Each structure stands twice: as structure tokens, then as C-alpha cells.
């Protein structure tokens, strides 16, 4: 959303765009329409997460609360360098960080609606949208209804990505086989190559 809004407001400063399996304007309404069971489950999970974050923030702000709260401790992968873990822990020990994360989730629907702009037009800048092709594997206990909604929702997202690509006359929606949402983790070279391609096309256009 930030990328789209920035490009809307600073057209002359944006000469090319790469969107990696991006969220789409009006996404909340799209999920409610195409995958209502998934939307309800996501809302329930998010509300619980927000409540937990708020509780952890309150604990950080209260120096008298020395009781251990394992649910407030974020586990980091064993592959993370010790210095990175130290910095992340220091960051997450700041109440403002938790408040920002809670605010992000609380305003997710508002952000989605604010990104809607029927007049959006990016001319002929090089624009590539990278789209995941696979739904993530269902978590244990996921209902059959939610599993059945996964493919229709993925298809709807892909069509919305077609619309994003169409914002430029040179736009392309490139589907990346064998990927779920985190394309940059699963196939980082695809992202690197796409960024380099857009940079090259933007430079060529200026020449």
C-alpha cells in the first residue's frame, strides 16, 4: 500500500516498480467476498494477537510487573546471528514497537480501503508484479471449508495482480511457479533478477 500511495503522490520520483506478491487495495473486502470462512478465522486470530501484544506492551510499561511472560518472548531461528538477535530483542523491548505492530493490525482494513484509487495510472514505467502460484499448506486443524477456499482466493489475488500490472502500459504480472507468499525467501534470485531488470529498463528509457 505504501508503494502504491507513494507512486500516486510522487509520480516524477518513481521510474519503475517491482511488487512482490503484494497486498491489493480493498483486500479485506475481497477476502470477505471470496473466502468468508478464511476472513472470519483471520479476524479472530488477529484480534487475539492484538490483545496479546497490548498485554505485553502493558507489562513492558509497568516496571513492577516482574512476572515471567513466556508468551511475550519472540523465538528467533537458530540461524540468526547472535548480534541480530540482540538487536531484535532490544527493539522488541521498546513499548513503542509493540504499539506500532498492534496499530498496524488494528488498521489493516482501513489501510486496505485507503489504497483504493480508481484513477491510479502509472503511464509507461516498467512495472513487474511477482505473484505466488501456490496456497500455503494448511495448518493442523484447519477446517475443510477454509481449505476449499484457498484456491479461489489465490485465483482472485492473481486477477487483482493483473489489475496492478495493468496500471502501466508496460506492466507484467509474472507468476512464480512453486512459491507461496514469501517469494523473496523461497526464490530470492527471481526477485533480484526482476529488480535488476526494472532498473535496466528504467535507465534505458531515460537514455
Amino acid at each position: 500500500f505504501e508503494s502504491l500511495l507513494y507512486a500516486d503522490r510522487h509520480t516524477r520520483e518513481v521510474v519503475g516498480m517491482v511488487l512482490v506478491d503484494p497486498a491489493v487495495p480493498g483486500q479485506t473486502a475481497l477476502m470477505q467476498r471470496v473466502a468468508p470462512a478464511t476472513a472470519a478465522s483471520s479476524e479472530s486470530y488477529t484480534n487475539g494477537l492484538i490483545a496479546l501484544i497490548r498485554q505485553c506492551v502493558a507489562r513492558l510499561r509497568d516496571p513492577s510487573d516482574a512476572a515471567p511472560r513466556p508468551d511475550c518472548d519472540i523465538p528467533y531461528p537458530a540461524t540468526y546471528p547472535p548480534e541480530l538477535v540482540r538487536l531484535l530483542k532490544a527493539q522488541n523491548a521498546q513499548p513503542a514497537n509493540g504499539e506500532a505492530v498492534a496499530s498496524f493490525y488494528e488498521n489493516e482494513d482501513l489501510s486496505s480501503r485507503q489504497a483504493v484509487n480508481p484513477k491510479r495510472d502509472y503511464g509507461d514505467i516498467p512495472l513487474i508484479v511477482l505473484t505466488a502460484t501456490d496456497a500455503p499448506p494448511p495448518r493442523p486443524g484447519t477446517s475443510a471449508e477454509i481449505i476449499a477456499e484457498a484456491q479461489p482466493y489465490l485465483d482472485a489475488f492473481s486477477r487483482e495482480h493483473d489489475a496492478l500490472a495493468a496500471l502501466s502500459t508496460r506492466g507484467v504480472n509474472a507468476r512464480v511457479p512453486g512459491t507461496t507468499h514469501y517469494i523473496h525467501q523461497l526464490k530470492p534470485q527471481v526477485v533480484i533478477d526482476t529488480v535488476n531488470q526494472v532498473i535496466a529498463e528504467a535507465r534505458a528509457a531515460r537514455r
Side-chain angles (χ1 to χ4, degrees):
F1 299 149
E2 292 88 349
S3 299
L4 295 176
L5 293 175
Y6 186 91
D8 292 348
R9 298 170 185 175
H10 306 279
T11 307
R12 294 183 179 180
E13 297 180 20
V14 179
V15 296
M17 296 178 71
V18 176
L19 301 174
V20 183
D21 205 48
V24 298
Q27 177 173 302
T28 304
L30 175 68
M31 179 183 285
Q32 292 171 342
R33 184 173 68 254
V34 177
T38 303
S41 176
S42 177
E43 182 179 8
S44 176
Y45 173 83
T46 300
N47 288 340
L49 179 61
I50 292 169
L52 174 60
I53 293 171
R54 292 290 185 197
Q55 291 172 9
C56 295
V57 167
R59 175 196 171 198
L60 288 171
R61 289 196 177 282
D62 182 2
S64 67
D65 184 2
R69 286 291 301 274
D71 50 350
C72 293
D73 294 331
I74 299 176
Y76 298 103
T79 54
Y80 278 21
E83 179 63 9
L84 175 60
V85 173
R86 185 188 69 78
L87 292 170
L88 288 172
K89 286 184 175 180
Q91 173 180 283
N92 289 316
Q94 302 299 318
N97 185 72
E99 289 171 351
V101 174
S103 177
F104 168 83
Y105 285 113
E106 287 169 341
N107 293 286
E108 197 168 10
D109 178 45
L110 175 61
S111 299
S112 177
R113 287 185 279 114
Q114 285 180 330
V116 175
N117 179 4
K119 297 181 180 180
R120 184 172 283 131
D121 182 353
Y122 295 151
D124 63 351
I125 66 170
L127 166 60
I128 299 179
V129 183
L130 297 179
T131 297
T133 60
D134 301 348
R139 297 176 180 177
T142 300
S143 71
E145 187 177 10
I146 291 177
I147 293 174
E149 290 177 345
Q151 191 60 49
Y153 185 47
L154 196 67
D155 292 341
F157 239 79
S158 186
R159 289 191 294 271
E160 292 295 321
H161 286 179
D162 287 337
L164 287 178
L167 292 172
S168 168
T169 57
R170 296 171 63 185
V172 176
N173 180 15
R175 293 164 176 82
V176 185
T179 60
T180 53
H181 180 55
Y182 298 105
I183 297 174
H184 55 290
Q185 293 181 349
L186 296 170
K187 295 193 175 182
Q189 194 60 49
V190 170
V191 178
I192 293 168
D193 292 344
T194 303
V195 170
N196 286 334
Q197 177 183 340
V198 167
I199 289 173
E201 290 182 10
R203 287 175 173 166
R206 284 194 165 186
R207 288 195 294 268

